[in-house]
């Protein structure tokens, strides 16, 4: 019986069906690279449909797991596999971009151990955060997860440089603008002082006059007409200005009241999305997730790798001397990169065109914006090939020609 290797792609936060390139470009390209190296297998891919990246992470993982289960069952039925749970005819590589890699890892952990690292999921009253990290693993996984391949997933958190470099750039621009405004202010101030000096000089040149009696009422300027015609504000102008401000505030308040439902929905939307990505701020949870994936790698031979973006030549063309660079170093990445701890196979995906970390993160699968696209594809191919179980591969009896 021929075996099937299923590549399942999961987009990240605010991604969609086109995250991996238009018209499924990257998955199609990756399969074309894999077929010559795995000729005995039937290679297929699925892209998890657009989903709401909000709310509880565990709920998202459960929905994805149910979807994946149904897809794999359909494939096993079409293959006629006698005992899918004992000798599966389909093995799965979960491939996630950004937060999709978190979903992929959580799915693999939940299938292999019937628990999740996300602290919100109950496990009969004991979550992994409460000391159940050494519970026995299930070697008869179904669906059978052969590996988790991530693209720029911040398994250990988002690099501080993503915020720091961006803040430094904005600060530099703001400082430049303020400098220009200060220059203009000095010009305006100089012109104002010159006019004042000229007026004082003219007054000194005029002869002293006797103090005169106040002008009669007929000769005094009409304050009311002056205020109405704009010749002077006076108290009426002040009151009008205040009334206008109150009116603007009242109108704004009324508009806010009329749209209170939309505003509430907007706040709920934002809070819910922050809840989804909130796991990136829980350092202990991040560490445990990686530790658990390494346990799956060691005990069940589940592959685990991350291709992370790193800025190249264009980053060097920016500021040569950077306060942030002196503190954080000159390697600019979107993810925190492990240096000592075991965290799987991490390989840099250098983008010589991107000028900031976020752009490199979003343009991984765009050849025109990522000069390292071919190397990225080759590294992904090599990782997947190395993870395929050779005994399972050799048991595939039908050769699939490219």
């Amino acid at each position: 019986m021929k075996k099937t290797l299923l590549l399942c792609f999961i987009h990240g936060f605010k991604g969609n069906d086109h995250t991996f390139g238009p018209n499924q470009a990257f998955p199609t390209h990756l399969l074309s690279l894999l077929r010559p190296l795995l000729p005995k297998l039937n290679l297929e891919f699925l892209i998890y449909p657009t989903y709401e990246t909000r709310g509880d992470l565990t709920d998202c993982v459960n929905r994805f797991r149910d979807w994946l289960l149904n897809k794999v069952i359909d494939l096993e039925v079409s293959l006629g596999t006698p005992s899918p749970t004992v000798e599966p005819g389909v093995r799965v590589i979960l491939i996630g971009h950004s937060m999709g890699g978190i979903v992929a890892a959580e799915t693999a952990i939940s299938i292999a151990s019937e628990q999740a690292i996300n602290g919100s999921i109950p496990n009969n009253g004991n979550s992994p955060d409460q000391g159940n990290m050494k519970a026995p693993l299930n070697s008869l996984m179904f669906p059978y997860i052969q590996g988790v391949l991530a693209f720029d997933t911040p398994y250990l958190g988002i690099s501080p440089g993503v915020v720091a470099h961006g803040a430094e750039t904005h600060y530099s621009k703001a400082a430049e603008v303020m400098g220009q405004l200060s220059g203009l202010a000095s010009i305006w101030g100089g012109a104002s002082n010159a006019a004042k000096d000229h007026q004082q000089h003219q007054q000194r040149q005029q002869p002293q006059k006797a103090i005169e009696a106040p002008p009669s009422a007929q000769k005094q300027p009409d304050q009311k007409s002056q205020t109405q015609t704009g010749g002077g504000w006076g108290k009426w102008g002040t009151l009008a200005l205040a009334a206008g401000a109150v009116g603007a505030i009242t109108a704004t308040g009324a508009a806010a009241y009329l749209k209170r439902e939309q505003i509430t929905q907007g706040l709920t939307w934002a809070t819910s999305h922050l809840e989804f990505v909130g796991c990136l701020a829980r350092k202990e949870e991040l560490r445990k997730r990686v530790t658990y994936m390494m346990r799956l790698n060691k005990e069940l031979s589940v592959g685990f790798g991350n291709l992370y973006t790193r800025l190249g030549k264009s980053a060097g063309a920016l500021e040569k001397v950077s306060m942030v660079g002196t503190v954080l170093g000159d390697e600019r990445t979107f993810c925190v990169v492990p240096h000592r701890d075991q965290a799987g196979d991490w390989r840099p995906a250098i983008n010589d065109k991107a000028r900031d970390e976020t752009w490199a993160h979003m343009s991984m699968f765009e050849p025109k914006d990522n000069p390292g696209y071919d190397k990225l594809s080759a590294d992904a191919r090599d990782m997947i090939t190395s993870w395929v179980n050779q005994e399972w591969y050799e048991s595939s009896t039908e050769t699939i020609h490219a």
Side-chain angles (χ1 to χ4, degrees), residues 146-211:
Q146 184 68 76
V148 172
L149 173 58
F151 287 90
D152 223 21
T153 293
Y155 283 118
L156 300 173
I158 296 177
S159 172
V162 174
V163 177
H165 283 289
E168 185 177 55
T169 300
H170 290 304
Y171 173 80
S172 298
K173 291 180 180 178
E176 181 181 351
V177 171
M178 289 303 295
Q180 294 174 353
L181 291 179
S182 297
L184 292 174
S186 64
I187 294 174
W188 294 331
S192 176
N193 291 334
K196 184 177 181 181
D197 292 343
H198 177 72
Q199 183 180 8
Q200 292 176 348
H201 176 73
Q202 291 294 331
Q203 289 174 350
R204 286 195 296 270
Q205 296 299 319
Q206 293 177 358
Q208 289 285 341
K209 295 182 179 180
I211 299 177

Side-chain angles (χ1 to χ4, degrees), residues 11-127:
H11 70 71
F13 181 69
K14 301 303 291 176
N16 54 39
D17 296 344
H18 301 290
T19 292
F20 299 98
N23 301 318
Q24 305 173 337
F26 181 73
T28 302
H29 176 59
L30 183 57
L31 254 64
S32 70
L33 297 178
L34 285 168
R35 285 195 177 100
L37 301 179
L38 301 171
K40 288 189 175 184
L41 297 180
N42 178 33
L43 300 178
E44 297 187 19
F45 74 84
L46 292 172
I47 298 179
Y48 187 46
T50 300
Y51 61 97
E52 281 290 341
T53 52
R54 64 175 183 170
D56 186 70
L57 175 62
T58 302
D59 291 339
C60 176
V61 170
N62 288 338
R63 288 193 299 271
F64 169 72
R65 181 177 170 177
D66 289 343
W67 175 86
L68 178 64
L69 176 65
N70 290 328
K71 294 296 183 181
V72 171
I73 288 175
D74 290 342
L75 284 174
E76 294 284 18
V77 170
S78 67
L79 290 174
T81 307
S83 303
T85 56
V86 178
E87 294 185 21
V90 177
R91 293 199 177 191
V92 181
I93 303 288
L94 297 178
I95 301 176
H97 175 246
S98 190
M99 279 294 292
I102 300 285
V103 174
E106 283 283 321
T107 301
I109 292 169
S110 67
I111 292 174
S113 62
E114 292 302 328
Q115 61 182 345
I117 298 303
N118 183 16
S120 62
I121 187 172
N123 183 45
N124 298 324
N126 295 306
S127 71

